[in-house]
């Protein structure tokens, strides 16, 4: 019966109906349960009732009085003023409403009303009313005269109506919400019971009570999140035998011998961690984090050599064709002297090329497959898949990651990201993975000098660019981000090429964008790598993976349109050779957030510092790709603001799962159901059922 109440559609609730229900649906509110978890985004304390004689001019105040008289005037066309005289025992004050003539019938003499609004003492004591509430003899006020919840809403749905409907939902549904946190957890962490927390978070008597209710609900959300993530990680580790790679063989010795550089201690450290996992009979599931230019690709290459050395095949999946092709070219340099055969699988292969690669992978003729989403198509079969490497993990959904794993029998999995994430958050988002971090750049890499200039200084930027080109260097010029339309982005890039050619007619200018055919992209990148193109005008398709050591200048147009993580990735395309490199951001930001991004980029080149700042500015969702990671949406918790509570919830989840790994004890039945409900359709590939 309780579940039936919570599943009741919003349209059947008091004050809603079918027409208004459409506005609730815009907010993702379909049922009474949805309303209960549509938490306030802030509160206004309107509980401090003043007397008319105490009201201060220009302040927003709350006062209660008895209606004495009601009048309406219309000083000009399209303007009506409703004025209500109130008496509160200390004197008369007036409430004023504009263009709400229907209110004249709402107020009658003798009625008790609480009003909130800005005080104007120039013409007696007058309040421009923003909120009012008629005080019933035995009724509870919810819009003023108390701590008032303020919700996210949408056009057509006023705070007043939304608040009233949620009040009804709380009265009907709060007691129907069964407490699922075990009594021991509630006691240990001093948490409110769920029904009480729901009432207090929506309609608290004090701000302190609101904070306690929020703490309970945030803990609950993060605790369920941690239980799901940790159960998923345990499932992988209990999957039974995976591929057991052998210790280093002759191929690995030759690979190290042919490397044209010495690996950094940080690279050696993570290679040792990866090899230890690969030599275990348990399936490896490891996340490799490393800042731009820290040398993740050579670490992945070492792991792929190890799998071939042990008689297996490897697969490497990248989010874009350009990045897949870049990996193919880089790895070919490592693998060619070793006799390792590499196939490149992308969506733009000819039928004949594709069939040749598919046959070769199935027969075992090819040792390594590098590709895009094309790798996870049903027709791709491996003879003996031993290792899966996934680059830029946050660009792929959990199901894509799972489909590639399923091409073999429990192959080892290494996922890589150049988007640094603070450790605590990484363990939350990728809780099913062990974590390795390359926290050191190769020696000799010069820091990229970064500047922020306004469009008015473009002439100086072009003058500097000419000096670099005349010295034999190359440059990228990245066009503005136009999120609404790739077509518009291409048009802008095409216009920019003409502008650049007009200024730099004596240099060779190339164009690269996402709508070009794969062979066109590869040809322009080949020419740029070979030094046959001096300035590459591009959209963000060059954000990751492109490696041209002679390119020393990165110019980013309208840089404030990009997120910090993107800007850091773009800057990472230069600074890869022996010459000093420069990143110049052209921007005239109109928002505090845009200015903050420019300031962070010029202040630091440390990816982890930038990630922390990005989290503060934007929040974690976009940076970590939580929509893609498989995590449920968070309704009340904030992974930055609530980092301390996240640690507490993580520890509580670990301790509980130590005692009851499957949450199968009778006292944990409701908790298990809550975890499964939270993660439904998200982690099914990990068989939490």
């Amino acid at each position: 019966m309780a579940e039936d109440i919570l599943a009741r559609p919003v349209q059947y609730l008091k004050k809603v109906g079918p027409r208004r229900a459409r506005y609730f649906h815009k907010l993702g509110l379909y049922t009474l349960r949805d309303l209960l978890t549509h938490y306030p985004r802030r509160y206004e304390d309107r509980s401090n009732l003043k007397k008319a004689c105490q009201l201060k001019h220009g302040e927003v105040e709350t006062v209660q009085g008895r209606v004495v008289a009601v009048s309406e005037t219309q000083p000009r066309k399209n303007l009506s003023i409703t004025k209500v005289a109130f008496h509160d025992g200390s004197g008369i004050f007036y409430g004023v409403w504009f263009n709400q003539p229907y209110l004249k019938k709402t107020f009658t003499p003798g009625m008790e009303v609480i009003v909130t609004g800005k005080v104007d003492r120039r013409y007696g004591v007058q309040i421009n009313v923003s909120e009012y509430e008629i005080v019933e003899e035995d009724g509870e006020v919810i819009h003023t005269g108390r701590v008032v919840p303020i919700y996210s809403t949408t056009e057509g749905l006023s705070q007043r109506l939304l608040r009233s409907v949620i009040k009804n939902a709380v009265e009907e549904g709060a007691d129907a919400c069964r407490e699922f946190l075990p009594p021991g957890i509630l006691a240990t962490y001093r948490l409110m019971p769920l029904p009480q927390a729901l009432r207090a978070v929506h309609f608290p008597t004090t701000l302190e009570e609101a904070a306690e209710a929020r703490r309970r609900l945030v803990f609950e959300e993060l605790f369920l999140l941690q239980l799901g993530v940790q159960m998923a990680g345990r499932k992988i580790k209990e999957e039974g035998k995976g591929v057991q790679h052998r210790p280093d063989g002759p191929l690995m010795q030759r690979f190290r011998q042919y490397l044209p550089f010495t690996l950094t201690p940080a690279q050696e450290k993570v290679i040792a961690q990866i090899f230890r996992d690969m030599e275990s009979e348990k399936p490896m599931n490891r996340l490799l984090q490393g800042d731009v230019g820290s040398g993740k690709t050579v670490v992945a290459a070492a792991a792929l050599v190890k799998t071939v050395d042990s008689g297996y095949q490897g697969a490497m999946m990248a989010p874009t064709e350009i990045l897949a092709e870049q990996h193919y070219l880089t790895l070919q340099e490592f693998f060619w002297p070793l006799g390792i055969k590499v196939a490149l699988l992308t969506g733009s292969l000819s039928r004949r090329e594709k069939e040749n690669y598919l046959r070769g992978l199935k027969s075992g003729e090819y040792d390594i497959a590098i590709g895009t989403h094309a790798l996870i198509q049903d027709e791709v079969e491996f003879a003996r898949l031993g290792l899966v490497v996934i680059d830029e993990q946050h660009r792929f959904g959990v199901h894509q990651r799972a489909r590639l794993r399923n091409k073999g029998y429990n192959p080892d999995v290494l996922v890589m990201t150049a988007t640094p994430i603070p450790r605590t958050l990484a363990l939350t988002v990728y809780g099913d993975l062990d974590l390795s971090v390359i926290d050191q750049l190769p020696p000799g890499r010069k820091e990229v000098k970064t500047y922020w200039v306004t469009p008015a200084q473009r002439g100086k930027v072009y003058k500097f660019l000419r000096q670099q080109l005349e010295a034999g260097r190359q440059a990228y010029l990245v066009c503005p981000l136009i999120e609404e339309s790739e077509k518009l982005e291409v048009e802008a890039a095409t216009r920019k090429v003409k502008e650049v050619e007009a200024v730099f007619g004596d240099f060779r200018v190339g164009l690269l964008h996402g709508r070009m055919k794969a062979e066109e992209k590869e040809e322009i990148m080949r020419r740029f790598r070979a030094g046959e193109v001096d300035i590459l005008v591009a959209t963000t398709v060059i954000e990751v993976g492109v490696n041209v050591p002679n390119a020393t200048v990165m110019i980013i147009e309208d840089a404030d349109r990009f997120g910090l993580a993107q800007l850091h990735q773009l800057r990472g395309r230069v600074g890869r050779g022996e010459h000093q490199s420069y990143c110049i951001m052209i921007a005239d930001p109109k928002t505090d957030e845009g200015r903050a991004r420019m300031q962070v980029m010029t202040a630091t080149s440390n990816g982890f510092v930038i990630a922390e700042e990005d989290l503060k500015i934007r929040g974690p969702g976009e940076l970590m790709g939580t929509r893609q990671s498989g995590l449920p949406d968070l309704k009340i918790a904030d992974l930055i603001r609530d980092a301390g509570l996240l640690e507490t919830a993580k520890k509580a989840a670990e301790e509980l799962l130590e005692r009851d790994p499957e949450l199968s004890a009778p006292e944990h039945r409701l908790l298990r159901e809550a975890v499964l409900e939270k993660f439904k359709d998200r982690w099914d590939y990990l068989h939490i059922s």
Side-chain angles (χ1 to χ4, degrees), residues 466 499-509 535:
R466 178 170 287 279
E499 177 194 310
V500 172
E501 284 175 336
V503 178
F504 297 94
D506 47 339
F507 290 97
R508 297 158 297 182
V509 181
I535 305 172

Side-chain angles (χ1 to χ4, degrees), residues 452-463 584-587:
W452 164 28
V453 302
T454 64
Q457 296 168 284
R458 190 185 308 277
K460 285 185 180 178
V461 173
Y462 281 177
K463 184 179 177 183
I584 302 168
M585 303 178 296
I586 301 176

Side-chain angles (χ1 to χ4, degrees), residues 402-583:
R403 283 185 68 184
L404 188 51
R405 286 181 69 237
N406 291 336
K407 297 283 182 186
Y409 177 72
N410 285 349
D412 286 338
V413 177
L414 176 66
V415 296
M416 307 195 296
T417 179
T419 305
I421 302 166
R423 186 176 181 84
T424 303
L425 299 190
L427 292 172
T428 298
V429 178
Y430 304 118
D432 58 318
L433 302 168
D434 297 310
L435 184 63
S436 286
V437 180
I438 305 179
D439 51 8
Q440 176 184 29
L441 292 179
R445 285 204 62 159
K446 295 186 177 75
E447 187 167 320
V448 177
K449 291 185 178 179
T450 304
Y451 302 95
W452 164 28
V453 302
T454 64
Q457 296 168 284
R458 190 185 308 277
K460 285 185 180 178
V461 173
Y462 281 177
K463 184 179 177 183
F464 171 74
L465 174 56
R466 178 170 287 279
Q467 290 169 357
Q468 286 286 303
L469 296 173
E470 286 172 348
R473 308 284 83 79
Q474 292 165 275
Y476 299 97
L477 196 155
V478 176
C479 296
L481 181 70
I482 304 174
E483 290 178 336
E484 318 88 72
S485 166
E486 192 180 15
K487 184 182 175 194
L488 289 176
E489 204 168 68
V490 169
E491 287 173 4
T494 307
R495 281 197 303 274
K496 179 58 71 175
V497 164
K498 289 176 181 168
E499 177 194 310
V500 172
E501 284 175 336
V503 178
F504 297 94
D506 47 339
F507 290 97
R508 297 158 297 182
V509 181
L511 172 64
L512 181 68
H513 60 72
R515 287 202 162 188
M516 292 167 73
K517 291 179 181 173
E519 53 266 30
E520 293 174 325
K521 289 181 197 168
E522 181 44 46
E523 175 59 16
I524 193 71
M525 282 310 303
R526 184 199 65 73
R527 290 177 56 214
F528 191 55
R529 276 191 293 267
E532 296 166 13
V533 168
D534 302 304
I535 305 172
L536 183 63
V537 175
T539 59
T540 52
V541 291
I542 60 152
E543 183 186 333
V544 289
V546 177
N547 183 20
V548 180
N550 190 49
T552 59
V553 182
M554 167 63 71
I555 298 171
I556 307 169
E557 295 276 2
D558 285 0
D560 55 311
R561 291 194 190 180
F562 297 86
L564 269 176
Q566 263 187 320
L567 290 170
H568 184 56
Q569 288 285 352
L570 288 168
R571 175 167 60 185
R573 297 312 102 217
V574 294
R576 291 172 168 262
E578 56 185 299
H579 305 288
Q580 179 62 56
S581 288
Y582 306 86
C583 175

Side-chain angles (χ1 to χ4, degrees), residues 200-243:
V201 80
H202 287 291
F203 299 100
T205 53
T206 63
L207 289 171
E208 291 73 22
E209 186 185 38
E212 274 304 297
R214 184 184 180 278
R215 189 175 75 87
R216 144 72 209 224
L217 295 165
V218 168
F219 177 91
E220 165 197 311
E221 192 163 54
L222 296 175
F223 184 56
L224 292 178
L225 185 69
Q226 283 297 325
L227 286 171
V229 165
Q230 290 181 34
M231 287 170 75
R234 285 167 181 253
K235 281 289 180 189
I236 282 185
K237 289 181 172 63
E238 291 163 6
E239 275 183 336
K241 282 194 172 185
V243 172

